[in-house]
Amino acid sequence: MLTAIPSLLGNSSLLPSRLQMAVTLAFHITFAAVGIGLPLLMVISERLYLRTGKVHYRSLAQKWSKATAVLFAIGAVSGTALSFELGLLWPRYMQITGAAVGHLFGLEGFAFFLEAIFLGLYIYGWDRLPPKGHFWCGVAIAFFGALSGWLVLGVNAWMQLPVGVQLDSAGNVTSVNPFAIFRTYAWFTMALHSTLACYIAVSFAVAAVYAAGYLKGRRDDYHRFAIRIAMTVGTVVALLQPISGDLIAKFVYRTQPAKFAAMEAHFETSRYAPAFIGGIPDVDSGTVRFAIPLPGVLSFLATGDPSSEIKGLNDIDRSLWPNVALVHVSFQIMVGLGVVLMILGIWFALATWRAGAGALDSQRLLRAIVLCGPAGFIALQAGWIVTECGRQPWVINGILKTAEGVTPYPHVWPVFIGFSALFVVLSITTIGLLRYLARSPVGSGKQE
């Protein structure tokens, strides 16, 4: 039956290979974000427990460490699948990337295993390790989780700005500077922006889980302080994120003019170039429908000068355009949800400043926290769509086009279906494990 699929959908390997990477990365990024963001909340909670002796902080740290372990294990499976897919579906890409920045995959794996070791010590070390030693195991988890992300972002940054590599006329790598990417603006800005996005996504999602419990009447210290910790971290990071967003936008402007123009659906080269709020690009007419223009804002964001000239898509070879509508709408979703979360964080901060613990008596605030729970992860996914689809048609910018890096093997649709089925099973397993974990008592016996 699976062998009949190529005849129905076409024998080209490009479409199913791209779809497979889209599905896998969308799945894996979610777990990678949790591996970066949740240990930070866990460490903060244990630090508060050590400082105050209040048992609800210990219970939160224990619960969050178990959730981290579950999601870490699922992420390890999806990451393994991803590594197989890269080798199977993108051999030419891996030939170049492996030679140029393959060491970053190795270093990322090293950080990943260290995170796993300290996670085991942390989970099984309660009442076995000295309190401070146990706390520093948690710090190590948070550190190596973030370091793992920063290292793998080095690979993606290199795909956007390939440096430190020379190829011969046949496209084979002849020399490599393995540390060149670490000295670029690309790596720092992308890693910073992505890491902050992970903290935002996880913090607001965790706050939403406990706010839902609070609305159901579980108004104890366990739920109250879980909301306060998560919302405090989420608010602080959400207010910092526009700074990293500005840095990465300026980087894209300098290095990827087609992506930059597509993000704002900017068709005509002009001074005082506008940024748009919303809108649907029409590539045939070169217009943006239903948008609110902000004259000069795009020029200012790119260069700091509202009168500067910004290159439009119409002055770029059409064959080098990404999917303008997809990139623009994804960019709008990312920025829009980021603004919503900033506003929610400010609302929470003002309510806490005015009413203290009574801030959570507001039903509207609690409902808003629950409603915005998925927003950070949606924004995270939208941001990766901008990053990856905005680089098209290049898989390695300026070096290798996506269509040139894919496997020539024609029967990829069965692979796509098989791996997608794996992710369905993993999703069901994850939901079941988290539901079981939520119902199980921990520490003081409080339940979620």
Side-chain angles (χ1 to χ4, degrees):
M1 180 176 177
L2 292 180
T3 56
I5 293 173
S7 63
L8 296 174
L9 299 175
N11 289 321
S12 172
S13 61
L14 182 59
L15 177 59
S17 295
R18 293 189 66 185
L19 287 175
Q20 185 60 65
M21 294 307 299
V23 170
T24 305
L25 287 171
F27 187 89
H28 182 68
I29 285 170
T30 301
F31 295 97
V34 173
I36 292 172
L38 195 53
L40 176 62
L41 302 182
M42 179 186 77
V43 167
I44 291 172
S45 187
E46 184 175 8
R47 177 65 184 135
L48 291 171
Y49 166 66
L50 293 176
R51 194 177 72 183
T52 66
K54 294 181 178 179
V55 72
H56 54 263
Y57 289 128
R58 175 186 168 115
S59 297
L60 286 169
Q62 289 178 316
K63 182 74 76 172
W64 289 342
S65 67
K66 291 184 177 181
T68 299
V70 169
L71 298 172
F72 183 90
I74 300 294
V77 176
S78 65
T80 302
L82 177 60
S83 65
F84 276 108
E85 291 170 14
L86 287 172
L88 289 171
L89 302 179
W90 306 96
R92 178 61 181 150
Y93 161 78
M94 287 304 296
Q95 179 184 358
I96 298 174
T97 304
V101 287
H103 58 289
L104 296 183
F105 286 118
L107 291 172
E108 187 271 339
F110 182 70
F112 177 86
F113 284 118
L114 286 174
E115 182 184 6
I117 290 169
F118 282 104
L119 183 58
L121 290 171
Y122 190 88
I123 291 175
Y124 295 105
W126 289 99
D127 302 321
R128 293 181 176 88
L129 295 173
K132 288 186 178 180
H134 186 268
F135 167 75
W136 282 107
C137 285
V139 172
I141 296 168
F143 172 76
F144 286 115
L147 179 62
S148 177
W150 278 67
L151 288 168
V152 82
L153 257 295
V155 177
N156 196 275
W158 183 84
M159 290 163 62
Q160 315 293 328
L161 185 68
V163 295
V165 61
Q166 292 184 356
L167 282 73
D168 60 22
S169 58
N172 298 312
V173 176
T174 58
S175 66
V176 172
N177 181 342
F179 301 106
I181 191 61
F182 293 122
R183 294 194 289 268
T184 66
Y185 192 63
W187 173 64
F188 174 77
T189 54
M190 288 190 65
L192 176 64
H193 192 68
S194 179
T195 303
L196 294 181
C198 293
Y199 290 143
I200 291 170
V202 172
S203 295
F204 283 101
V206 168
V209 170
Y210 289 90
Y214 210 78
L215 283 169
K216 292 177 182 177
R218 301 170 188 172
R219 302 200 165 202
D220 49 29
D221 287 340
Y222 179 77
H223 285 77
R224 182 180 303 110
F225 285 96
I227 298 170
R228 293 186 67 173
I229 291 171
M231 284 299 297
T232 299
V233 173
T235 300
V236 171
V237 181
L239 292 173
L240 292 174
Q241 185 68 307
I243 299 173
S244 72
D246 179 68
L247 293 174
I248 202 167
K250 286 179 168 59
F251 159 70
V252 174
Y253 165 72
R254 291 200 297 267
T255 61
Q256 296 171 286
K259 178 193 285 189
F260 186 80
M263 286 161 58
E264 284 292 352
H266 180 63
F267 290 95
E268 296 293 337
T269 299
S270 62
R271 296 184 180 275
Y272 297 98
F276 292 108
I277 298 177
I280 304 296
D282 184 337
V283 295
D284 294 325
S285 64
T287 59
V288 186
R289 299 174 180 175
F290 316 114
I292 301 173
L294 303 174
V297 172
L298 184 60
S299 294
F300 178 77
L301 291 175
T303 67
D305 179 2
S307 66
S308 61
E309 183 177 86
I310 303 298
K311 189 175 185 179
L313 286 164
N314 290 338
D315 287 330
I316 299 172
D317 187 339
R318 184 92 179 231
S319 66
L320 299 180
W321 288 17
N323 186 321
V324 178
L326 177 62
V327 173
H328 175 74
V329 171
S330 298
F331 180 71
Q332 293 289 314
I333 291 172
M334 179 188 69
V335 174
L337 291 178
V339 171
V340 168
L341 292 177
M342 285 177 58
I343 293 171
L344 176 62
I346 293 170
W347 180 7
F348 172 80
L350 290 175
T352 302
W353 177 61
R354 290 173 179 171
L360 295 181
D361 293 334
S362 170
Q363 297 286 301
R364 282 195 291 181
L365 177 58
L366 288 170
R367 290 194 183 101
I369 293 172
V370 173
L371 182 64
C372 291
F377 279 103
I378 296 172
L380 180 67
Q381 297 288 353
W384 275 106
I385 290 173
V386 173
T387 300
E388 298 304 297
C389 294
R391 190 184 59 248
Q392 300 303 315
W394 302 100
V395 63
I396 302 174
N397 192 32
I399 290 180
L400 182 69
K401 290 187 175 180
T402 305
E404 299 167 347
V406 73
T407 177
Y409 181 71
H411 305 297
V412 177
W413 283 109
V415 178
F416 169 69
I417 292 173
F419 274 108
S420 297
L422 169 66
F423 296 134
V424 171
V425 172
L426 288 176
S427 297
I428 295 171
T429 303
T430 302
I431 292 170
L433 289 172
L434 290 179
R435 286 176 62 86
Y436 171 78
L437 182 61
R439 291 192 298 268
S440 62
V442 62
S444 62
K446 301 293 183 184
Q447 297 184 9
E448 288 182 59

mmCIF file with all atom_site columns, all heavy atoms in Angstrom, residues 136-157:
data_model
loop_
_atom_site.group_PDB
_atom_site.id
_atom_site.type_symbol
_atom_site.label_atom_id
_atom_site.label_alt_id
_atom_site.label_comp_id
_atom_site.label_asym_id
_atom_site.label_entity_id
_atom_site.label_seq_id
_atom_site.pdbx_PDB_ins_code
_atom_site.Cartn_x
_atom_site.Cartn_y
_atom_site.Cartn_z
_atom_site.occupancy
_atom_site.B_iso_or_equiv
_atom_site.pdbx_formal_charge
_atom_site.auth_seq_id
_atom_site.auth_comp_id
_atom_site.auth_asym_id
_atom_site.auth_atom_id
_atom_site.pdbx_PDB_model_num
ATOM 1   N N   . TRP A 1 136 ? 23.163 22.636 43.118 1.00 0.00 ? 136 TRP A N   1
ATOM 2   C CA  . TRP A 1 136 ? 24.102 22.892 42.019 1.00 0.00 ? 136 TRP A CA  1
ATOM 3   C C   . TRP A 1 136 ? 23.962 21.852 40.905 1.00 0.00 ? 136 TRP A C   1
ATOM 4   O O   . TRP A 1 136 ? 24.291 22.140 39.750 1.00 0.00 ? 136 TRP A O   1
ATOM 5   C CB  . TRP A 1 136 ? 25.535 22.948 42.551 1.00 0.00 ? 136 TRP A CB  1
ATOM 6   C CG  . TRP A 1 136 ? 25.812 24.263 43.213 1.00 0.00 ? 136 TRP A CG  1
ATOM 7   C CD1 . TRP A 1 136 ? 25.946 24.497 44.542 1.00 0.00 ? 136 TRP A CD1 1
ATOM 8   C CD2 . TRP A 1 136 ? 25.949 25.527 42.561 1.00 0.00 ? 136 TRP A CD2 1
ATOM 9   N NE1 . TRP A 1 136 ? 26.154 25.835 44.786 1.00 0.00 ? 136 TRP A NE1 1
ATOM 10  C CE2 . TRP A 1 136 ? 26.171 26.489 43.584 1.00 0.00 ? 136 TRP A CE2 1
ATOM 11  C CE3 . TRP A 1 136 ? 25.917 25.950 41.241 1.00 0.00 ? 136 TRP A CE3 1
ATOM 12  C CZ2 . TRP A 1 136 ? 26.346 27.839 43.310 1.00 0.00 ? 136 TRP A CZ2 1
ATOM 13  C CZ3 . TRP A 1 136 ? 26.099 27.300 40.966 1.00 0.00 ? 136 TRP A CZ3 1
ATOM 14  C CH2 . TRP A 1 136 ? 26.307 28.219 41.971 1.00 0.00 ? 136 TRP A CH2 1
ATOM 15  N N   . CYS A 1 137 ? 23.451 20.669 41.227 1.00 0.00 ? 137 CYS A N   1
ATOM 16  C CA  . CYS A 1 137 ? 23.101 19.730 40.155 1.00 0.00 ? 137 CYS A CA  1
ATOM 17  C C   . CYS A 1 137 ? 21.996 20.316 39.290 1.00 0.00 ? 137 CYS A C   1
ATOM 18  O O   . CYS A 1 137 ? 22.005 20.184 38.057 1.00 0.00 ? 137 CYS A O   1
ATOM 19  C CB  . CYS A 1 137 ? 22.645 18.391 40.748 1.00 0.00 ? 137 CYS A CB  1
ATOM 20  S SG  . CYS A 1 137 ? 23.979 17.361 41.391 1.00 0.00 ? 137 CYS A SG  1
ATOM 21  N N   . GLY A 1 138 ? 21.025 20.986 39.922 1.00 0.00 ? 138 GLY A N   1
ATOM 22  C CA  . GLY A 1 138 ? 19.970 21.653 39.172 1.00 0.00 ? 138 GLY A CA  1
ATOM 23  C C   . GLY A 1 138 ? 20.509 22.773 38.310 1.00 0.00 ? 138 GLY A C   1
ATOM 24  O O   . GLY A 1 138 ? 20.081 22.954 37.161 1.00 0.00 ? 138 GLY A O   1
ATOM 25  N N   . VAL A 1 139 ? 21.456 23.531 38.875 1.00 0.00 ? 139 VAL A N   1
ATOM 26  C CA  . VAL A 1 139 ? 22.079 24.600 38.091 1.00 0.00 ? 139 VAL A CA  1
ATOM 27  C C   . VAL A 1 139 ? 22.784 24.020 36.864 1.00 0.00 ? 139 VAL A C   1
ATOM 28  O O   . VAL A 1 139 ? 22.716 24.581 35.759 1.00 0.00 ? 139 VAL A O   1
ATOM 29  C CB  . VAL A 1 139 ? 23.070 25.402 38.960 1.00 0.00 ? 139 VAL A CB  1
ATOM 30  C CG1 . VAL A 1 139 ? 23.867 26.391 38.112 1.00 0.00 ? 139 VAL A CG1 1
ATOM 31  C CG2 . VAL A 1 139 ? 22.333 26.135 40.073 1.00 0.00 ? 139 VAL A CG2 1
ATOM 32  N N   . ALA A 1 140 ? 23.438 22.879 37.054 1.00 0.00 ? 140 ALA A N   1
ATOM 33  C CA  . ALA A 1 140 ? 24.125 22.222 35.931 1.00 0.00 ? 140 ALA A CA  1
ATOM 34  C C   . ALA A 1 140 ? 23.132 21.801 34.857 1.00 0.00 ? 140 ALA A C   1
ATOM 35  O O   . ALA A 1 140 ? 23.410 21.921 33.656 1.00 0.00 ? 140 ALA A O   1
ATOM 36  C CB  . ALA A 1 140 ? 24.921 21.014 36.430 1.00 0.00 ? 140 ALA A CB  1
ATOM 37  N N   . ILE A 1 141 ? 21.968 21.306 35.257 1.00 0.00 ? 141 ILE A N   1
ATOM 38  C CA  . ILE A 1 141 ? 20.943 20.926 34.278 1.00 0.00 ? 141 ILE A CA  1
ATOM 39  C C   . ILE A 1 141 ? 20.533 22.140 33.448 1.00 0.00 ? 141 ILE A C   1
ATOM 40  O O   . ILE A 1 141 ? 20.458 22.081 32.215 1.00 0.00 ? 141 ILE A O   1
ATOM 41  C CB  . ILE A 1 141 ? 19.709 20.329 34.989 1.00 0.00 ? 141 ILE A CB  1
ATOM 42  C CG1 . ILE A 1 141 ? 20.076 19.044 35.710 1.00 0.00 ? 141 ILE A CG1 1
ATOM 43  C CG2 . ILE A 1 141 ? 18.589 20.060 33.977 1.00 0.00 ? 141 ILE A CG2 1
ATOM 44  C CD1 . ILE A 1 141 ? 18.990 18.562 36.662 1.00 0.00 ? 141 ILE A CD1 1
ATOM 45  N N   . ALA A 1 142 ? 20.252 23.249 34.139 1.00 0.00 ? 142 ALA A N   1
ATOM 46  C CA  . ALA A 1 142 ? 19.834 24.465 33.436 1.00 0.00 ? 142 ALA A CA  1
ATOM 47  C C   . ALA A 1 142 ? 20.947 24.974 32.525 1.00 0.00 ? 142 ALA A C   1
ATOM 48  O O   . ALA A 1 142 ? 20.691 25.411 31.390 1.00 0.00 ? 142 ALA A O   1
ATOM 49  C CB  . ALA A 1 142 ? 19.436 25.541 34.447 1.00 0.00 ? 142 ALA A CB  1
ATOM 50  N N   . PHE A 1 143 ? 22.190 24.898 32.996 1.00 0.00 ? 143 PHE A N   1
ATOM 51  C CA  . PHE A 1 143 ? 23.315 25.399 32.210 1.00 0.00 ? 143 PHE A CA  1
ATOM 52  C C   . PHE A 1 143 ? 23.553 24.548 30.972 1.00 0.00 ? 143 PHE A C   1
ATOM 53  O O   . PHE A 1 143 ? 23.658 25.071 29.855 1.00 0.00 ? 143 PHE A O   1
ATOM 54  C CB  . PHE A 1 143 ? 24.582 25.431 33.071 1.00 0.00 ? 143 PHE A CB  1
ATOM 55  C CG  . PHE A 1 143 ? 25.823 25.758 32.297 1.00 0.00 ? 143 PHE A CG  1
ATOM 56  C CD1 . PHE A 1 143 ? 26.091 27.063 31.896 1.00 0.00 ? 143 PHE A CD1 1
ATOM 57  C CD2 . PHE A 1 143 ? 26.720 24.755 31.940 1.00 0.00 ? 143 PHE A CD2 1
ATOM 58  C CE1 . PHE A 1 143 ? 27.240 27.362 31.161 1.00 0.00 ? 143 PHE A CE1 1
ATOM 59  C CE2 . PHE A 1 143 ? 27.861 25.047 31.212 1.00 0.00 ? 143 PHE A CE2 1
ATOM 60  C CZ  . PHE A 1 143 ? 28.117 26.355 30.824 1.00 0.00 ? 143 PHE A CZ  1
ATOM 61  N N   . PHE A 1 144 ? 23.633 23.240 31.163 1.00 0.00 ? 144 PHE A N   1
ATOM 62  C CA  . PHE A 1 144 ? 23.933 22.377 30.013 1.00 0.00 ? 144 PHE A CA  1
ATOM 63  C C   . PHE A 1 144 ? 22.752 22.301 29.044 1.00 0.00 ? 144 PHE A C   1
ATOM 64  O O   . PHE A 1 144 ? 22.950 22.107 27.838 1.00 0.00 ? 144 PHE A O   1
ATOM 65  C CB  . PHE A 1 144 ? 24.347 20.984 30.481 1.00 0.00 ? 144 PHE A CB  1
ATOM 66  C CG  . PHE A 1 144 ? 25.733 20.941 31.064 1.00 0.00 ? 144 PHE A CG  1
ATOM 67  C CD1 . PHE A 1 144 ? 25.926 20.630 32.398 1.00 0.00 ? 144 PHE A CD1 1
ATOM 68  C CD2 . PHE A 1 144 ? 26.838 21.229 30.272 1.00 0.00 ? 144 PHE A CD2 1
ATOM 69  C CE1 . PHE A 1 144 ? 27.206 20.605 32.941 1.00 0.00 ? 144 PHE A CE1 1
ATOM 70  C CE2 . PHE A 1 144 ? 28.118 21.202 30.803 1.00 0.00 ? 144 PHE A CE2 1
ATOM 71  C CZ  . PHE A 1 144 ? 28.305 20.899 32.140 1.00 0.00 ? 144 PHE A CZ  1
ATOM 72  N N   . GLY A 1 145 ? 21.533 22.461 29.546 1.00 0.00 ? 145 GLY A N   1
ATOM 73  C CA  . GLY A 1 145 ? 20.393 22.534 28.647 1.00 0.00 ? 145 GLY A CA  1
ATOM 74  C C   . GLY A 1 145 ? 20.488 23.746 27.739 1.00 0.00 ? 145 GLY A C   1
ATOM 75  O O   . GLY A 1 145 ? 20.280 23.641 26.514 1.00 0.00 ? 145 GLY A O   1
ATOM 76  N N   . ALA A 1 146 ? 20.811 24.898 28.332 1.00 0.00 ? 146 ALA A N   1
ATOM 77  C CA  . ALA A 1 146 ? 20.973 26.105 27.523 1.00 0.00 ? 146 ALA A CA  1
ATOM 78  C C   . ALA A 1 146 ? 22.180 25.994 26.604 1.00 0.00 ? 146 ALA A C   1
ATOM 79  O O   . ALA A 1 146 ? 22.123 26.405 25.433 1.00 0.00 ? 146 ALA A O   1
ATOM 80  C CB  . ALA A 1 146 ? 21.099 27.330 28.439 1.00 0.00 ? 146 ALA A CB  1
ATOM 81  N N   . LEU A 1 147 ? 23.288 25.435 27.118 1.00 0.00 ? 147 LEU A N   1
ATOM 82  C CA  . LEU A 1 147 ? 24.498 25.288 26.306 1.00 0.00 ? 147 LEU A CA  1
ATOM 83  C C   . LEU A 1 147 ? 24.243 24.393 25.103 1.00 0.00 ? 147 LEU A C   1
ATOM 84  O O   . LEU A 1 147 ? 24.724 24.667 23.987 1.00 0.00 ? 147 LEU A O   1
ATOM 85  C CB  . LEU A 1 147 ? 25.626 24.715 27.157 1.00 0.00 ? 147 LEU A CB  1
ATOM 86  C CG  . LEU A 1 147 ? 26.968 24.487 26.429 1.00 0.00 ? 147 LEU A CG  1
ATOM 87  C CD1 . LEU A 1 147 ? 27.535 25.807 25.922 1.00 0.00 ? 147 LEU A CD1 1
ATOM 88  C CD2 . LEU A 1 147 ? 27.963 23.789 27.354 1.00 0.00 ? 147 LEU A CD2 1
ATOM 89  N N   . SER A 1 148 ? 23.470 23.328 25.303 1.00 0.00 ? 148 SER A N   1
ATOM 90  C CA  . SER A 1 148 ? 23.121 22.440 24.198 1.00 0.00 ? 148 SER A CA  1
ATOM 91  C C   . SER A 1 148 ? 22.415 23.215 23.099 1.00 0.00 ? 148 SER A C   1
ATOM 92  O O   . SER A 1 148 ? 22.713 23.062 21.908 1.00 0.00 ? 148 SER A O   1
ATOM 93  C CB  . SER A 1 148 ? 22.236 21.306 24.717 1.00 0.00 ? 148 SER A CB  1
ATOM 94  O OG  . SER A 1 148 ? 21.818 20.468 23.659 1.00 0.00 ? 148 SER A OG  1
ATOM 95  N N   . GLY A 1 149 ? 21.486 24.079 23.491 1.00 0.00 ? 149 GLY A N   1
ATOM 96  C CA  . GLY A 1 149 ? 20.784 24.899 22.504 1.00 0.00 ? 149 GLY A CA  1
ATOM 97  C C   . GLY A 1 149 ? 21.705 25.874 21.807 1.00 0.00 ? 149 GLY A C   1
ATOM 98  O O   . GLY A 1 149 ? 21.630 26.064 20.586 1.00 0.00 ? 149 GLY A O   1
ATOM 99  N N   . TRP A 1 150 ? 22.587 26.501 22.558 1.00 0.00 ? 150 TRP A N   1
ATOM 100 C CA  . TRP A 1 150 ? 23.507 27.471 21.957 1.00 0.00 ? 150 TRP A CA  1
ATOM 101 C C   . TRP A 1 150 ? 24.432 26.801 20.952 1.00 0.00 ? 150 TRP A C   1
ATOM 102 O O   . TRP A 1 150 ? 24.739 27.377 19.900 1.00 0.00 ? 150 TRP A O   1
ATOM 103 C CB  . TRP A 1 150 ? 24.322 28.161 23.057 1.00 0.00 ? 150 TRP A CB  1
ATOM 104 C CG  . TRP A 1 150 ? 23.596 29.296 23.705 1.00 0.00 ? 150 TRP A CG  1
ATOM 105 C CD1 . TRP A 1 150 ? 22.478 29.204 24.489 1.00 0.00 ? 150 TRP A CD1 1
ATOM 106 C CD2 . TRP A 1 150 ? 23.899 30.684 23.622 1.00 0.00 ? 150 TRP A CD2 1
ATOM 107 N NE1 . TRP A 1 150 ? 22.086 30.450 24.896 1.00 0.00 ? 150 TRP A NE1 1
ATOM 108 C CE2 . TRP A 1 150 ? 22.937 31.380 24.388 1.00 0.00 ? 150 TRP A CE2 1
ATOM 109 C CE3 . TRP A 1 150 ? 24.903 31.411 22.985 1.00 0.00 ? 150 TRP A CE3 1
ATOM 110 C CZ2 . TRP A 1 150 ? 22.939 32.767 24.516 1.00 0.00 ? 150 TRP A CZ2 1
ATOM 111 C CZ3 . TRP A 1 150 ? 24.922 32.802 23.130 1.00 0.00 ? 150 TRP A CZ3 1
ATOM 112 C CH2 . TRP A 1 150 ? 23.943 33.461 23.879 1.00 0.00 ? 150 TRP A CH2 1
ATOM 113 N N   . LEU A 1 151 ? 24.872 25.571 21.258 1.00 0.00 ? 151 LEU A N   1
ATOM 114 C CA  . LEU A 1 151 ? 25.776 24.887 20.339 1.00 0.00 ? 151 LEU A CA  1
ATOM 115 C C   . LEU A 1 151 ? 25.076 24.476 19.053 1.00 0.00 ? 151 LEU A C   1
ATOM 116 O O   . LEU A 1 151 ? 25.614 24.658 17.950 1.00 0.00 ? 151 LEU A O   1
ATOM 117 C CB  . LEU A 1 151 ? 26.372 23.662 21.036 1.00 0.00 ? 151 LEU A CB  1
ATOM 118 C CG  . LEU A 1 151 ? 27.403 23.959 22.131 1.00 0.00 ? 151 LEU A CG  1
ATOM 119 C CD1 . LEU A 1 151 ? 27.711 22.709 22.938 1.00 0.00 ? 151 LEU A CD1 1
ATOM 120 C CD2 . LEU A 1 151 ? 28.681 24.550 21.534 1.00 0.00 ? 151 LEU A CD2 1
ATOM 121 N N   . VAL A 1 152 ? 23.877 23.913 19.163 1.00 0.00 ? 152 VAL A N   1
ATOM 122 C CA  . VAL A 1 152 ? 23.183 23.496 17.953 1.00 0.00 ? 152 VAL A CA  1
ATOM 123 C C   . VAL A 1 152 ? 22.730 24.709 17.143 1.00 0.00 ? 152 VAL A C   1
ATOM 124 O O   . VAL A 1 152 ? 22.602 24.637 15.920 1.00 0.00 ? 152 VAL A O   1
ATOM 125 C CB  . VAL A 1 152 ? 22.001 22.563 18.302 1.00 0.00 ? 152 VAL A CB  1
ATOM 126 C CG1 . VAL A 1 152 ? 20.768 23.339 18.735 1.00 0.00 ? 152 VAL A CG1 1
ATOM 127 C CG2 . VAL A 1 152 ? 21.684 21.637 17.138 1.00 0.00 ? 152 VAL A CG2 1
ATOM 128 N N   . LEU A 1 153 ? 22.514 25.848 17.826 1.00 0.00 ? 153 LEU A N   1
ATOM 129 C CA  . LEU A 1 153 ? 22.205 27.080 17.083 1.00 0.00 ? 153 LEU A CA  1
ATOM 130 C C   . LEU A 1 153 ? 23.395 27.544 16.271 1.00 0.00 ? 153 LEU A C   1
ATOM 131 O O   . LEU A 1 153 ? 23.238 28.297 15.302 1.00 0.00 ? 153 LEU A O   1
ATOM 132 C CB  . LEU A 1 153 ? 21.754 28.177 18.051 1.00 0.00 ? 153 LEU A CB  1
ATOM 133 C CG  . LEU A 1 153 ? 20.250 28.451 18.104 1.00 0.00 ? 153 LEU A CG  1
ATOM 134 C CD1 . LEU A 1 153 ? 19.749 28.991 16.783 1.00 0.00 ? 153 LEU A CD1 1
ATOM 135 C CD2 . LEU A 1 153 ? 19.459 27.211 18.505 1.00 0.00 ? 153 LEU A CD2 1
ATOM 136 N N   . GLY A 1 154 ? 24.598 27.103 16.654 1.00 0.00 ? 154 GLY A N   1
ATOM 137 C CA  . GLY A 1 154 ? 25.767 27.418 15.847 1.00 0.00 ? 154 GLY A CA  1
ATOM 138 C C   . GLY A 1 154 ? 25.657 26.819 14.460 1.00 0.00 ? 154 GLY A C   1
ATOM 139 O O   . GLY A 1 154 ? 26.078 27.421 13.467 1.00 0.00 ? 154 GLY A O   1
ATOM 140 N N   . VAL A 1 155 ? 25.075 25.610 14.368 1.00 0.00 ? 155 VAL A N   1
ATOM 141 C CA  . VAL A 1 155 ? 24.866 24.978 13.063 1.00 0.00 ? 155 VAL A CA  1
ATOM 142 C C   . VAL A 1 155 ? 23.890 25.784 12.238 1.00 0.00 ? 155 VAL A C   1
ATOM 143 O O   . VAL A 1 155 ? 24.126 26.066 11.057 1.00 0.00 ? 155 VAL A O   1
ATOM 144 C CB  . VAL A 1 155 ? 24.368 23.533 13.234 1.00 0.00 ? 155 VAL A CB  1
ATOM 145 C CG1 . VAL A 1 155 ? 24.089 22.902 11.872 1.00 0.00 ? 155 VAL A CG1 1
ATOM 146 C CG2 . VAL A 1 155 ? 25.382 22.699 14.018 1.00 0.00 ? 155 VAL A CG2 1
ATOM 147 N N   . ASN A 1 156 ? 22.771 26.176 12.853 1.00 0.00 ? 156 ASN A N   1
ATOM 148 C CA  . ASN A 1 156 ? 21.769 26.933 12.107 1.00 0.00 ? 156 ASN A CA  1
ATOM 149 C C   . ASN A 1 156 ? 22.288 28.307 11.720 1.00 0.00 ? 156 ASN A C   1
ATOM 150 O O   . ASN A 1 156 ? 22.022 28.798 10.614 1.00 0.00 ? 156 ASN A O   1
ATOM 151 C CB  . ASN A 1 156 ? 20.485 27.062 12.917 1.00 0.00 ? 156 ASN A CB  1
ATOM 152 C CG  . ASN A 1 156 ? 19.312 27.473 12.063 1.00 0.00 ? 156 ASN A CG  1
ATOM 153 O OD1 . ASN A 1 156 ? 19.105 28.657 11.820 1.00 0.00 ? 156 ASN A OD1 1
ATOM 154 N ND2 . ASN A 1 156 ? 18.537 26.502 11.606 1.00 0.00 ? 156 ASN A ND2 1
ATOM 155 N N   . ALA A 1 157 ? 23.044 28.930 12.618 1.00 0.00 ? 157 ALA A N   1
ATOM 156 C CA  . ALA A 1 157 ? 23.630 30.225 12.288 1.00 0.00 ? 157 ALA A CA  1
ATOM 157 C C   . ALA A 1 157 ? 24.580 30.094 11.102 1.00 0.00 ? 157 ALA A C   1
ATOM 158 O O   . ALA A 1 157 ? 24.630 30.965 10.223 1.00 0.00 ? 157 ALA A O   1
ATOM 159 C CB  . ALA A 1 157 ? 24.363 30.794 13.503 1.00 0.00 ? 157 ALA A CB  1
#
